[in-house]
Amino acid sequence: MVTKEPINKDEISLKELIERGKEWYVYLLSQWKIIVLVGFSGAALGLAYSFMNKPVYTATLSFVVEDEKSGGGLSGALGLASSFGFDFGGSGGNVFSGANLTEFFKSRKMVEQTLLTSVNLKGKVMTLAEMYIQNAKWRKDWEKEPKFANIQFLPNVDRKNYTRVQDSVLGVISANLTKFNLLVAQKDKKIGIISIEMNSGSELFAKYFAEALAKEVSDFYIATKSEKARANMDILVRQTDSIRGELNGAITGVAVANDNTFNLNPSLNVRRTPSARRQVDVQANTAILTELVKQTELAKVTLRKETPLIQVIDRPILPLAKERFGKAKGILLGSFLGFFLAIFIIINKKILTYLK
């Protein structure tokens, strides 16, 4: 006796699936007017958006980071100097190496200092912060807020004198730039070339900001990383000047003592003691001065080694690369989204009718 397995009514055969697909196809064809209308509306909106959307300019600045390990013949001179107890600060800080450097470019400190850099815009000197506010048209909204009405970021104003509101505004601008506009990256780990890309609706702002940011980081490095080497060099210069003064005084003292013993009786040698003492001072100070001059020159060489960090390869040159939401792209994207939205709404409406 052959038993038949019960048929699961919930299962849909391929034939039924094709039939239902045809039903949906016929239904969508019956709604073609709505679909086409919404599609054309989307294309019109996409075209309007392409007209309203402003072009975005990209300023690219590339630079190479100096290899601190490439000391060459200088390492031997530094070793000689260290044997005399002089430290010229040859080691580099971790903040200026590798991935840390790229993040340092995007730090709030560097971005805010860059925003306070003065630029000449059509004969008017202003800060980049003022230029950003002007491009963003924030002052129209600030007219309604008394605490923002008189806010200005004038050139050559000490940062310490800024109010809390000014600090807040600078913080917002800095956050916007680092999040949406600024990109600092090393394109290849095997190559030490790092590029800064600054995107903005203002061509001049993108160019000025990229150049000013590179300069701010470079200046900060010179002031920070070479601080110890500069301090040691200043100490050596002061010591050299002091010993040179002592040597000149000793030479003058020898001359005075010799004048006082001119035609002296040879039996009175005790009168020649001051001249002999001064001669010893001259010899001692000469030896000390010779060594200090050597160490001062080594310190100058070390300071020059520590000074360069960023060597700019390519600077942004006008006109900058421009990216714009094209008309054809707006029409195609808008029509596609319109057709998709119309079909989605029609299908959902049909499904809700079945469920009722």
Side-chain angles (χ1 to χ4, degrees):
M1 183 176 180
V2 180
T3 59
K4 295 183 179 179
E5 294 182 0
I7 299 175
N8 190 353
K9 296 182 179 180
D10 293 334
E11 295 181 357
I12 301 177
S13 64
L14 179 60
K15 183 178 180 180
E16 292 176 342
L17 185 62
I18 294 175
E19 291 294 330
R20 291 192 179 182
K22 289 181 178 179
E23 291 179 5
W24 280 108
Y25 177 73
V26 173
Y27 175 71
L28 290 176
L29 282 180
S30 65
Q31 304 292 324
W32 69 271
K33 293 182 179 180
I34 298 176
I35 296 175
V36 171
L37 179 62
V38 176
F40 275 112
S41 300
L45 290 175
L47 181 61
Y49 179 78
S50 67
F51 280 109
M52 295 172 58
N53 186 261
K54 294 182 179 180
V56 177
Y57 298 92
T58 301
T60 303
L61 185 147
S62 60
F63 58 90
V64 62
V65 180
E66 179 191 11
D67 186 7
E68 297 174 354
K69 295 181 181 179
S70 59
L74 185 61
S75 58
L78 293 179
L80 176 63
S82 63
S83 65
F84 291 96
F86 295 100
D87 180 13
F88 299 118
S91 60
N94 291 332
V95 70
F96 299 110
S97 61
N100 290 340
L101 181 62
T102 59
E103 291 299 321
F104 184 68
F105 270 85
K106 300 174 69 175
S107 66
R108 178 170 176 173
K109 178 182 179 66
M110 290 295 98
V111 174
E112 287 189 357
Q113 287 184 357
T114 303
L115 287 171
L116 298 179
T117 302
S118 300
V119 296
N120 192 323
L121 182 64
K122 297 179 180 179
K124 182 180 180 181
V125 178
M126 65 172 63
T127 61
L128 286 172
E130 279 290 336
M131 191 175 178
Y132 180 92
I133 294 171
Q134 178 178 319
N135 294 334
K137 299 179 181 180
W138 284 2
R139 295 206 177 275
K140 292 182 178 180
D141 298 330
W142 287 356
E143 292 177 355
K144 303 175 183 178
E145 296 289 338
K147 64 179 181 179
F148 293 112
N150 298 322
I151 285 184
Q152 288 184 333
F153 297 95
L154 301 176
N156 303 321
V157 176
D158 192 352
R159 177 73 169 80
K160 297 178 181 179
N161 297 329
Y162 279 7
T163 64
R164 184 172 180 175
V165 178
Q166 286 177 303
D167 291 337
S168 177
V169 172
L170 273 181
V172 172
I173 298 175
S174 174
N176 289 342
L177 291 177
T178 54
K179 186 175 182 180
F180 302 108
N181 304 97
L182 181 61
L183 176 63
V184 182
Q186 186 174 356
K187 295 184 177 180
D188 191 340
K189 294 182 179 179
K190 297 180 181 179
I191 302 175
I193 297 178
I194 298 177
S195 64
I196 302 174
E197 290 187 1
M198 182 62 194
N199 301 319
S200 176
S202 171
E203 187 177 29
L204 291 178
F205 181 84
K207 179 180 184 298
Y208 291 156
F209 188 90
E211 293 176 338
L213 179 61
K215 184 179 183 302
E216 283 295 329
V217 174
S218 179
D219 291 345
F220 183 85
Y221 166 76
I222 293 172
T224 303
K225 188 172 180 296
S226 62
E227 182 177 2
K228 185 182 291 186
R230 188 179 299 276
N232 284 327
M233 190 193 71
D234 291 340
I235 292 173
L236 287 170
V237 170
R238 287 196 298 269
Q239 290 179 342
T240 301
D241 292 340
S242 176
I243 294 299
R244 183 176 282 109
E246 291 291 333
L247 177 60
N248 292 334
I251 293 173
T252 303
V254 170
V256 171
N258 289 336
D259 290 343
N260 292 335
T261 58
F262 183 71
N263 289 330
L264 183 68
N265 190 339
S267 62
L268 300 176
N269 289 327
V270 70
R271 298 286 299 274
R272 301 182 187 276
T273 302
S275 176
R277 290 176 178 173
R278 286 293 186 176
Q279 191 66 41
V280 171
D281 291 340
V282 169
Q283 295 175 353
N285 287 328
T286 300
I288 295 173
L289 181 62
T290 301
E291 190 60 38
L292 283 175
V293 169
K294 292 180 181 178
Q295 302 307 323
T296 302
E297 293 303 317
L298 286 174
K300 291 178 180 179
V301 172
T302 304
L303 183 60
R304 286 196 295 268
K305 173 182 176 292
E306 294 292 336
T307 298
L309 171 68
I310 298 173
Q311 297 178 351
V312 177
I313 299 175
D314 292 320
R315 294 183 179 274
I317 300 176
L318 298 178
L320 300 180
K322 180 173 63 173
E323 182 179 353
R324 187 165 189 168
F325 195 82
K327 300 180 182 65
K329 184 178 179 180
I331 293 173
L332 291 175
L333 185 59
S335 60
F336 173 78
L337 292 177
F339 288 137
F340 178 80
L341 180 62
I343 293 172
F344 179 77
I345 294 174
I346 291 172
I347 291 175
N348 281 340
K349 185 177 179 182
K350 186 70 173 178
I351 292 174
L352 291 176
T353 305
Y354 280 142
L355 293 177
K356 292 180 179 179

